[in-house]
Amino acid sequence: MGCCDGLSKCFLITFGIFFLLFGGACIGGGIFVILYKNDILILARSATEGAVDSVDTPSLLESAAYVLIATGAFVVFISFVGCCGACLKSKCLLRIYVVVIGLMLLLEIAAVVLVIVYKDKLETYAKDNLSTMLNDNYIGPYSTSNAISLAFDLAQIVFKCCGVVNQTEYASINTWNTTYAYDSGGGVYVTATATIPVTCCQFNNEDAFPDDMTTFLNSMVDNQCPVTQAGAHTTGCYDALKDEFNKYFSILIGIASGIAGLQVFGFLSACCLMKEDEKREEVI
């Protein structure tokens, strides 16, 4: 057995076992979500009163779980093929492994090129799509009957933003609940028309959301903010999310590069094993 042969076999087996475990974890995680989705929703409570299980989100969780299971199954399959191909030195299995990994690498390269070439168009599309979702689905404040509406409220609190582009978008949305009552002093409540959702305003105790809504709402810096927009967040959620993503972009690039590097080594190792096997057949 040559040096290349031995190292290639060792790498393929190690690489395969690692990703077999990873794929198994994905499958297990997906099955767990499907079986215990209601418990997960309760633990992730984010409604004013009650649990998130009143929000119509199980289908979203289930879809994510099935994607996770499918991904895990594919990873397990290709890892198993690579391990068996290396252990048995099966040309057929190694060829399947090389073809699949090669296609994956080509798709990943194509995806990177497309993102670079169409970056601006993709950003415009994403922003326009989010604006359409906001316009068609926002019915807040804190509405638990629409998962997308609730997601925008959560985003506006967590990322200190308002709307997709900015707070002016809410002036053109006529489907959301604009009725707002605030204490004008001495316990006298005034009912007014809100121009922005309360989630666009500043709070001194954001950590109270969503477990203690009374404390959270009472910590609003200016209780007339939803009407006057005094102290409201002016940054759009798209830019806020983009800035948050950029904080971890280098980490994501590092992880993606590491996985791509392992795929390249796996591809070359399988090719090396097939080449060594062909040399042995020629000698025989």
Side-chain angles (χ1 to χ4, degrees):
M1 183 184 290
C3 181
C4 177
D5 195 359
L7 289 174
S8 298
K9 181 177 179 179
C10 181
F11 177 82
L12 268 182
I13 294 173
T14 304
F15 179 70
I17 292 174
F18 175 78
F19 276 93
L20 274 172
L21 295 173
F22 174 76
C26 289
I27 294 173
I31 293 173
F32 176 81
V33 170
I34 291 173
L35 294 177
Y36 299 99
K37 58 181 181 293
N38 290 331
D39 293 337
I40 293 171
L41 286 169
I42 291 171
L43 288 173
R45 186 173 69 256
S46 61
T48 305
E49 294 180 2
V52 167
D53 54 355
S54 61
V55 185
D56 185 23
T57 56
S59 60
L60 183 62
L61 270 178
E62 288 174 356
S63 297
Y66 286 124
V67 169
L68 195 62
I69 291 172
T71 302
F74 174 77
V75 171
V76 167
F77 167 73
I78 194 60
S79 299
F80 181 76
V81 168
C83 279
C84 289
C87 291
L88 302 175
K89 296 182 180 177
S90 169
K91 279 187 177 181
C92 179
L93 292 176
L94 288 172
R95 284 197 185 100
I96 292 173
Y97 184 83
V98 167
V99 169
V100 174
I101 294 296
L103 287 174
M104 288 175 63
L105 287 169
L106 288 174
L107 289 173
E108 288 164 7
I109 293 170
V112 170
V113 172
L114 287 173
V115 168
I116 293 173
V117 173
Y118 295 103
K119 181 175 179 293
D120 292 337
K121 289 184 179 180
L122 288 171
E123 286 193 3
T124 300
Y125 173 79
K127 189 180 293 186
D128 291 344
N129 190 48
L130 282 173
S131 294
T132 299
M133 290 174 63
L134 178 69
N135 188 73
D136 293 344
N137 294 279
Y138 191 76
I139 55 177
Y142 312 122
S143 174
T144 60
S145 62
N146 188 302
I148 295 176
S149 178
L150 182 59
F152 273 107
D153 275 326
L154 289 168
Q156 287 172 161
I157 292 169
V158 173
F159 298 107
K160 296 180 174 62
C161 56
C162 190
V164 175
V165 179
N166 55 49
Q167 75 277 20
T168 61
E169 289 172 286
Y170 286 104
S172 60
I173 302 174
N174 54 20
T175 56
W176 67 288
N177 182 9
T178 59
T179 302
Y180 176 71
Y182 64 93
D183 187 350
S184 62
V188 178
Y189 281 83
V190 175
T191 300
T193 299
T195 57
I196 56 172
V198 295
T199 49
C200 285
C201 298
Q202 295 182 29
F203 293 86
N204 291 319
N205 193 355
E206 294 175 349
D207 293 336
F209 182 87
D211 297 316
D212 188 348
M213 291 303 301
T214 300
T215 300
F216 172 72
L217 292 172
N218 287 338
S219 71
M220 192 183 300
V221 174
D222 186 333
N223 67 354
Q224 295 186 41
C225 168
V227 179
T228 64
Q229 299 188 22
H233 300 302
T234 56
T235 302
C237 288
Y238 180 83
D239 288 335
L241 287 167
K242 184 179 176 182
D243 291 342
E244 190 68 20
F245 175 79
N246 286 336
K247 292 179 183 178
Y248 305 100
F249 185 70
S250 57
I251 297 175
L252 292 173
I253 289 295
I255 293 172
S257 299
I259 293 174
L262 288 174
Q263 288 175 329
V264 170
F265 277 117
F267 179 85
L268 294 176
S269 296
C271 289
C272 184
L273 279 176
M274 287 193 296
K275 188 67 175 177
E276 290 290 328
D277 193 48
E278 288 175 0
K279 287 181 179 179
R280 279 194 299 270
E281 289 179 353
E282 289 175 1
V283 170
I284 295 172

